[in-house]
Amino acid sequence: MKKVKEFILAMILPRKMYRFHGMKVIYSFFIFILATFILLFSVNLSTKRFMKDMIGSIDFETTDYEVIKQDKLPNYRIAKANNGGYYLDVSEPGEEGKVDNYKGVFEILFEDSKENKIELKIVIDESLDLFIEEDAAKNIDKDLFDLSGYMSQKRADKTTYILYIFTKKAFYYLYDLGQEKDINGNYIDSANRGYGSYERDDESNYKYYLPTDEKEASTLNQYGNYDVSVWTTETTEEATIEIDGIVYKAEKKIRDELRYAIYNGEYIYNNVNIDMINAEKEAVNFGSNQDIKYVLTTSVELMSEADANMQKSMYSVLVLLINIIFPFFWVLITWLLSRKFIMNKFKEYYAICSITYFTTSFIGLILGFFIPFDSLMFILLIIELIYYIVVTFRINTDPKLLNSKDNNNDDNHSNDNHQDKPGPKQPEIVFKKIKSDDAYQVE
């Protein structure tokens, strides 16, 4: 038990950690790998939950929402193409067979006992393929659905907005117009909108526009607001213009490209669970399943799972960088700067660094259940670097180790002096043979 306690303390306390300084490089490398798996354990378990929180959804289990209006959607499924990809296949209501260019906009409204509302819009454009070069910059046909007007509309009180846009090879999801409340109760752009939805210049600054003439100024979108998408005078954020006695303030434009307008809301059919969408019973399908609450809830599960799989792949690469690549450079730098201290070999610093990473990986394991990894990785980098520096400093300034080194140096110096010190030498005795056959003369 005492040995176990000492071993655990040696994994934590800097000066006790010196016992590992002579560890072979290959063993140290394996410890870095083990620390990577420890850290990824909680990251892999919690990423889906964090993705679900980011997506945004309604908790129907704790509310009493009921459908008060429901448009009938066409039957659709996700079919497999000959080249192995997947695409949207819509059958128009009342007609048999396939329709390759079906378009439609549908609305489903919910309301609860407290007069809270959910406005669900579902847009289908079967012909819009955003993954071929000529269509890559396309948006939904404005005559079909005014996306920029929808995203810029004035919010109604007590209303939650949910939007699905189904295109040929992917669907797009936007929750609450891509906005969220700040601490002051004001609506601001969320992650689904703020980073990519607006036009920017070459320096990534937002572009602002004003109407050029009365025609642009008087054009309204489908929601009765000024149609900023037709304004053409690029200006600054504070700029204004007066046209026919009306003062217009500069506004940002939603990007024309659908894939950027709904930022972080793209779900390629190849990456989601197709079987659940095409299922005969309890399908995650607005066309074939009348239980819209179930479809909405389970659809969020599909999206969060798809996001989590993408994120976990990226996180695995980042953890490898943090736990394998970065330590090598930190060790190299500290070794080059500290070769005259207690530890003076690269493998010693590499061994100590591996132990510090192994210890801090348990901190990451715990924090990974509470903090998304894109935020956690910066915290871990700081913790690992500071801990490693503190440990190496404590070891290299340990009085016991310094005294031991000084004594060894003194002993070596004493031995060298003893061997080289000049002193009186006995004269060499030379025996000289004399002529006598049985006698020698000593000189």
Side-chain angles (χ1 to χ4, degrees):
M1 188 65 182
K2 184 178 180 181
K3 290 183 178 180
V4 173
K5 180 181 177 181
E6 286 296 319
F7 181 80
I8 294 174
L9 291 176
M11 299 290 292
I12 301 173
L13 301 179
R15 287 178 174 170
K16 288 184 177 292
M17 205 177 290
Y18 181 69
R19 67 184 291 178
F20 301 107
H21 78 105
M23 187 164 50
K24 293 182 178 180
V25 171
I26 188 65
Y27 295 157
S28 302
F29 180 77
F30 283 138
I31 291 176
F32 279 119
I33 297 295
L34 180 59
T36 299
F37 283 109
I38 292 172
L39 181 57
L40 284 174
F41 179 78
S42 62
V43 172
N44 289 334
L45 288 179
S46 58
T47 296
K48 181 179 178 179
R49 173 166 52 86
F50 291 129
M51 293 300 102
K52 185 176 180 180
D53 292 340
M54 289 179 61
I55 290 172
S57 61
I58 302 295
D59 184 4
F60 287 107
E61 293 183 359
T62 59
T63 57
D64 59 350
Y65 279 107
E66 296 296 337
V67 176
I68 60 174
K69 175 187 175 183
Q70 182 172 351
D71 292 340
K72 174 63 178 175
L73 273 80
N75 292 323
Y76 66 86
R77 66 188 183 96
I78 308 303
K80 188 171 184 178
N82 294 331
N83 61 6
Y86 292 90
Y87 65 94
L88 179 67
D89 182 22
V90 181
S91 297
E92 192 170 0
E95 295 186 8
E96 296 182 358
K98 299 179 180 179
V99 178
D100 295 331
N101 58 356
Y102 183 85
K103 297 181 181 182
V105 179
F106 308 90
E107 185 174 73
I108 301 174
L109 300 179
F110 295 81
E111 188 172 347
D112 67 4
S113 57
K114 299 179 181 179
E115 297 185 347
N116 294 306
K117 296 179 176 63
I118 300 173
E119 180 188 288
L120 169 62
K121 281 193 179 294
I122 301 167
V123 182
I124 297 177
D125 189 343
E126 187 182 13
S127 62
L128 182 58
D129 186 350
L130 300 177
F131 295 89
I132 57 177
E133 186 175 352
E134 55 266 31
D135 284 3
K138 281 188 177 180
N139 204 330
I140 287 290
D141 186 349
K142 197 170 184 178
D143 292 332
L144 173 67
F145 179 71
D146 185 357
L147 178 60
S148 62
Y150 173 84
M151 296 177 67
S152 305
Q153 67 180 294
K154 295 179 180 178
R155 300 179 62 94
D157 291 339
K158 305 176 72 173
T159 299
T160 299
Y161 300 83
I162 301 176
L163 172 67
Y164 283 85
I165 299 178
F166 290 89
T167 65
K168 189 175 185 66
K169 294 181 180 177
F171 74 86
Y172 299 82
Y173 176 81
L174 186 68
Y175 183 78
D176 250 353
L177 309 180
Q179 301 174 24
E180 59 188 5
K181 281 187 177 181
D182 62 12
I183 57 176
N184 298 319
N186 300 317
Y187 285 101
I188 59 173
D189 295 332
S190 70
N192 276 348
R193 176 172 174 177
Y195 299 129
S197 296
Y198 297 108
E199 290 187 10
R200 296 174 183 260
D201 59 23
D202 294 336
E203 298 179 354
S204 296
N205 298 314
Y206 290 124
K207 290 183 178 182
Y208 288 85
Y209 292 88
L210 286 170
T212 302
D213 52 32
E214 190 276 335
K215 181 180 179 181
E216 291 182 4
S218 62
T219 302
L220 302 180
N221 59 33
Q222 292 181 356
Y223 296 86
N225 303 315
Y226 293 125
D227 191 351
V228 177
S229 67
V230 302
W231 293 4
T232 55
T233 299
E234 189 172 343
T235 183
T236 59
E237 181 178 1
E238 297 81 13
T240 60
I241 190 173
E242 183 175 344
I243 300 177
D244 291 341
I246 301 176
V247 177
Y248 298 86
K249 295 169 56 179
E251 299 284 352
K252 294 181 289 186
K253 274 188 183 182
I254 301 293
R255 294 182 63 167
D256 287 334
E257 301 92 341
L258 172 59
R259 300 185 68 190
Y260 294 100
I262 301 182
Y263 190 74
N264 283 344
E266 179 181 75
Y267 296 91
I268 302 172
Y269 298 134
N270 292 47
N271 297 333
V272 297
N273 192 328
I274 303 300
D275 292 336
M276 294 186 68
I277 297 176
N278 295 335
E280 293 184 4
K281 294 182 179 179
E282 296 186 339
V284 188
N285 190 309
F286 293 106
S288 61
N289 193 339
Q290 296 302 304
D291 187 354
I292 303 301
K293 293 182 182 180
Y294 172 82
V295 176
L296 283 173
T297 302
T298 313
S299 179
V300 171
E301 294 292 332
L302 292 183
M303 290 186 287
S304 59
E305 183 177 356
D307 283 343
N309 290 336
M310 295 286 290
Q311 293 296 321
K312 284 188 284 189
S313 298
M314 182 180 69
Y315 291 163
S316 296
V317 174
L318 291 175
V319 171
L320 285 175
L321 286 174
I322 293 173
N323 276 28
I324 304 299
I325 306 300
F326 286 1
F328 176 82
F329 291 102
W330 291 350
V331 169
L332 182 62
I333 292 171
T334 52
W335 171 64
L336 291 174
L337 297 176
S338 310
R339 285 183 291 176
K340 294 183 179 180
F341 291 94
I342 297 297
M343 296 189 297
N344 52 27
K345 296 178 180 179
F346 177 86
K347 77 169 189 175
E348 292 180 300
Y349 288 95
Y350 194 68
I352 296 301
C353 189
S354 70
I355 301 301
T356 61
Y357 263 62
F358 181 75
T359 303
T360 53
S361 67
F362 286 96
I363 298 176
L365 172 68
I366 297 171
L367 294 179
F369 288 107
F370 306 98
I371 304 175
F373 185 71
D374 52 357
S375 300
L376 176 61
M377 65 178 178
F378 296 108
I379 298 174
L380 277 180
L381 276 173
I382 295 172
I383 292 175
E384 289 165 345
L385 180 57
I386 292 176
Y387 187 45
Y388 169 65
I389 291 174
V390 168
V391 169
T392 54
F393 176 79
R394 293 284 291 171
I395 290 174
N396 283 327
T397 57
D398 188 346
K400 294 180 180 179
L401 297 175
L402 288 172
N403 291 335
S404 176
K405 183 178 180 181
D406 291 339
N407 291 335
N408 289 335
N409 290 338
D410 290 342
D411 291 341
N412 293 334
H413 186 64
S414 176
N415 291 335
D416 292 342
N417 288 343
H418 181 73
Q419 293 174 1
D420 298 336
K421 184 177 180 180
K425 296 182 179 180
Q426 294 292 333
E428 295 182 0
I429 300 175
V430 179
F431 293 91
K432 185 177 181 181
K433 185 176 181 180
I434 57 176
K435 292 182 180 181
S436 174
D437 293 334
D438 57 352
Y440 286 84
Q441 177 180 351
V442 179
E443 295 184 354

